[in-house]
Amino acid sequence: MKLIYRNQSEAQKLLNCMLLIAFLAIVVAYIMAVMNKNHVAWLPFISELDQYEPEGRVWTFGLTFAGIISIPIWMKLYRKWDKELRASNADKKWLKANMLVFVMAQIATVSLIWCVNLPFNEYPVPHGITAGVYFWLILSVGTLTILIVRKIDNYPKDLIRIRIGMNVAGYACMILMGAFVPEEMIEAINDPDSNWADNHDHAVHGMAALFEWLMVFIAHMSYFYTFNYDLEGETIQ
């Protein structure tokens, strides 16, 4: 498996541009928040980075733009896998599964865009719901994708193993994040008059936040290492 694609196709360039924008939106917002003393370094939830300006604007705009860019990427992946499944004489149920992946990915994208435009400190419940929908759909898409590409003739086995490892790690991070969410945070979300978001110490949810960050960057690495292979030689049309 190639780790670096020197002569990238149009589709690969769009994919890597999307990943870079999303990565920078999170990391730059975090650095700005810490430097501006709006958050302590250890460790805000990613969702908390839009609480103050100007880092909130960077976070919201960057992730919204990355979400929009992902739409044609998922469309190209659907078409590529559909063609390869047909060439491999795969059962029709896998063609339907591929369509389901595309639909789920689009719903996840819409959920992400809504999530990052509903600030956690102002709309904790809808923000949490849309974030949960996004993460669970993306993890489910990852699981279905593993089953689909296994039906494509000559699909690299090492790439399938990477997909499985990343997918399992993503589920583990999601579960551990929920397990480490502190009780006072749950109480604050259920209390609309709570000022916990302004006064809490991030250390109380440091481990939960760590697993959120790990889950997001695992998804980034999975997209980079697997979709770059799938989009090799592909144009955006």
Side-chain angles (χ1 to χ4, degrees):
M1 183 192 67
K2 295 180 182 178
L3 296 181
I4 298 175
Y5 289 82
R6 299 186 184 281
N7 298 312
Q8 296 181 2
S9 68
E10 291 180 8
Q12 286 175 314
K13 289 178 181 177
L14 188 64
L15 167 69
N16 293 324
C17 180
M18 182 269 289
L19 293 174
L20 181 61
I21 290 171
F23 176 81
L24 290 176
I26 295 172
V27 172
V28 171
Y30 169 77
I31 293 172
M32 292 174 66
V34 173
M35 291 182 65
N36 292 334
K37 298 183 179 180
N38 290 328
H39 292 286
V40 295
W42 180 261
L43 183 67
F45 281 108
I46 294 175
S47 296
E48 293 179 295
L49 295 177
D50 70 341
Q51 185 174 357
Y52 303 103
E53 301 298 343
E55 60 265 22
R57 192 174 296 109
V58 172
W59 186 88
T60 299
F61 178 78
L63 292 180
T64 299
F65 190 44
I68 293 171
I69 294 176
S70 73
I71 294 173
I73 293 172
W74 284 109
M75 185 172 294
K76 174 57 67 174
L77 288 168
Y78 163 73
R79 291 173 178 170
K80 174 79 178 291
W81 290 335
D82 183 77
K83 181 173 64 176
E84 292 179 338
L85 285 168
R86 293 179 188 277
S88 302
N89 295 315
D91 191 283
K92 287 185 178 180
K93 69 181 180 181
W94 297 112
L95 301 178
K96 294 179 181 178
N98 187 32
M99 172 60 77
L100 179 60
V101 163
F102 174 71
V103 172
M104 291 169 65
Q106 299 312 304
I107 295 173
T109 299
V110 172
S111 296
L112 171 66
I113 293 172
W114 273 109
C115 174
V116 300
N117 285 275
L118 291 169
F120 173 74
N121 61 302
E122 296 181 22
Y123 308 100
V125 174
H127 179 98
I129 291 173
T130 50
V133 169
Y134 171 74
F135 284 128
W136 278 115
L137 279 176
I138 288 299
L139 287 170
S140 300
V141 162
T143 304
L144 271 175
T145 298
I146 292 167
L147 300 175
I148 289 168
V149 298
R150 284 167 59 91
K151 301 302 177 181
I152 295 174
D153 290 342
N154 301 317
Y155 197 88
K157 295 293 189 296
D158 59 341
L159 214 58
I160 294 175
R161 288 193 290 269
I162 287 176
R163 288 184 186 277
I164 293 172
M166 295 289 191
N167 198 230
V168 171
Y171 280 114
C173 286
M174 184 74 160
I175 294 169
L176 288 168
M177 181 180 71
F180 279 99
V181 168
E183 186 174 324
E184 56 263 42
M185 181 178 175
I186 297 173
E187 292 175 354
I189 289 175
N190 293 326
D191 180 6
D193 297 322
S194 172
N195 61 351
W196 181 85
D198 294 319
N199 298 330
H200 75 282
D201 178 2
H202 290 314
V204 302
H205 62 58
M207 290 302 298
L210 174 64
F211 286 115
E212 181 194 30
W213 283 82
L214 286 174
M215 179 169 56
V216 168
F217 287 125
I218 286 169
H220 269 71
M221 290 188 291
S222 178
Y223 284 6
F224 178 79
Y225 285 126
T226 61
F227 288 170
N228 262 302
Y229 170 82
D230 294 312
L231 296 174
E232 187 174 9
E234 297 292 320
T235 60
I236 298 297
Q237 290 182 357

